[in-house]
């Protein structure tokens, strides 16, 4: 796949178009509620730091935990968010977070951060700028995820190394290299690794611990998969 072809595929996705539309609306609101540049710079930096941290925490401590599939009301969400993705890493839809989850989560968290930094006088502009920044960060995150999975041969060494780390997460040991847009938090939280540092391949690399024994005890995800198979 060429870079142009990847960009076309990425740009046609409904979620990306929605994020860009929300970001544009937020920038329009910022025109009517401007923020002094020191606060504006603070908003942008804080959101750009917190976004990959939030993804890291969610990815490591929720999506790779074994309690979501045990709860009936969370099983479908966990399956869609991550189990299906580890089962089939080349499915394009699985590379994108579902809009019904990503949009509210990033919108609410970004507005809260921006309004807090904006303070009593500039909370509206701070919220708008943070929302726009959050949408940009989200688009970058989703775009990087596509680059790491799709058959694009990168000419850039830094992207090749990121792709190798992500491949190790999917095909060697899922308990590490949780970052997507950056592995800075993996380094800080001691979950970064290269294949030579871990001699044994994980036995749960594709099922995330949802084994046959677990499926017998907690059949919620299995039932969903069986229902889809029957409908197909």
């Amino acid at each position: 796949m060429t870079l142009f072809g990847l960009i076309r595929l990425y740009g046609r996705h409904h979620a990306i178009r929605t994020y860009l539309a929300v970001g544009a609306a937020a920038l329009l609101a910022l025109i009517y509620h401007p923020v002094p540049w020191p606060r504006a710079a603070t908003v942008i930096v804080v959101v750009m730091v917190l976004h990959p941290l939030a993804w890291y925490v969610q990815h490591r401590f929720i999506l790779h935990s074994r309690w979501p599939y045990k709860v009936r009301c969370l099983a479908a969400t966990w399956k869609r968010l991550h189990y299906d993705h580890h089962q089939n890493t080349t499915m394009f839809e699985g590379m994108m977070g579902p809009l019904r989850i990503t949009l509210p989560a990033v919108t609410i968290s970004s507005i809260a951060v921006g309004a807090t930094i904006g303070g009593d006088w500039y909370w509206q502009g701070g919220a708008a700028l943070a929302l726009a920044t959050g949408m940009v960060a989200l688009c970058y995150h989703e775009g990087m995820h596509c680059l790491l999975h799709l058959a694009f041969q990168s000419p850039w060494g830094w992207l090749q190394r990121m792709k190798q780390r992500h491949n190790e997460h999917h095909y060697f040991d899922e308990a590490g290299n949780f970052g997507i847009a950056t592995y800075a938090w993996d380094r800080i939280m001691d979950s970064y690794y290269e294949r030579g540092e871990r001699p044994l391949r994980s036995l749960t690399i594709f099922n995330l611990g949802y084994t046959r024994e677990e499926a017998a005890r907690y059949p919620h995800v299995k039932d969903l998969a069986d229902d889809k198979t029957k409908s197909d």
Side-chain angles (χ1 to χ4, degrees):
M1 176 177 287
T2 65
L3 180 60
F4 179 71
L6 189 150
I7 292 173
R8 286 187 61 191
L9 179 65
Y10 167 83
R12 287 201 302 260
H13 196 275
H14 69 280
I16 299 303
R17 293 184 175 184
T18 301
Y19 303 148
L20 292 175
V22 172
L27 288 177
L28 184 63
L30 183 62
I31 294 175
Y32 292 96
H33 302 283
V35 180
W37 71 264
R39 292 197 189 215
T42 302
V43 168
I44 293 172
V45 170
V46 170
V47 172
M48 294 303 290
V49 169
L50 289 182
H51 186 275
L53 173 60
W55 166 254
Y56 177 89
V57 170
Q58 173 197 224
H59 192 187
R60 179 176 182 178
F61 299 108
I62 299 178
L63 299 182
H64 278 274
S65 293
R66 299 188 179 184
W67 57 267
Y69 64 70
K70 299 177 181 179
V71 182
R72 182 182 295 273
C73 62
L74 298 178
T77 300
W78 178 79
K79 179 180 182 296
R80 167 60 182 88
L81 278 175
H82 218 53
Y83 179 77
D84 288 348
H85 180 51
H86 271 260
Q87 290 276 299
N88 184 358
T89 61
T90 61
M91 183 175 63
F92 181 68
E93 193 63 29
M95 301 173 199
M96 296 286 193
L99 187 64
R100 61 185 174 84
I101 295 176
T102 55
L103 185 60
V106 175
T107 297
I108 294 171
S109 59
S110 297
I111 288 176
V113 169
T116 300
I117 296 174
D120 293 339
W121 291 99
Y122 303 106
W123 68 269
Q124 292 171 306
L129 180 57
L131 179 57
T133 306
M135 291 300 112
V136 170
L138 183 54
C139 286
Y140 177 70
H141 175 275
E142 301 288 55
M144 283 297 300
H145 202 194
C146 292
L147 282 170
L148 297 179
H149 277 284
L150 294 176
F152 169 67
Q153 297 299 319
S154 170
W156 308 297
W158 63 272
L159 185 55
Q160 293 173 6
R161 290 188 293 273
M162 291 187 72
K163 192 163 188 170
Q164 182 60 39
R165 300 291 82 78
H166 198 63
N167 282 338
E168 289 161 355
H169 172 79
H170 274 284
Y171 300 110
F172 192 72
D173 187 353
E174 76 278 15
N177 294 346
F178 296 102
I180 301 294
T182 175
Y183 290 111
W185 289 109
D186 280 286
R187 294 181 183 276
I188 293 171
M189 305 291 278
D190 197 30
S191 57
Y192 179 87
Y193 77 93
E194 297 183 13
R195 181 166 179 172
E197 299 170 6
R198 298 189 179 185
L200 299 178
R201 185 173 182 269
S202 171
L203 298 177
T204 56
I205 192 72
F206 296 118
N207 62 30
L208 304 183
Y210 192 66
T211 60
R212 291 182 180 180
E213 293 75 18
E214 287 290 85
R217 295 182 63 193
Y218 308 102
H220 315 311
V221 171
K222 179 180 178 297
D223 291 346
L224 291 168
D226 290 344
D227 289 344
K228 186 177 186 304
T229 301
K230 291 177 183 178
S231 65
D232 292 342

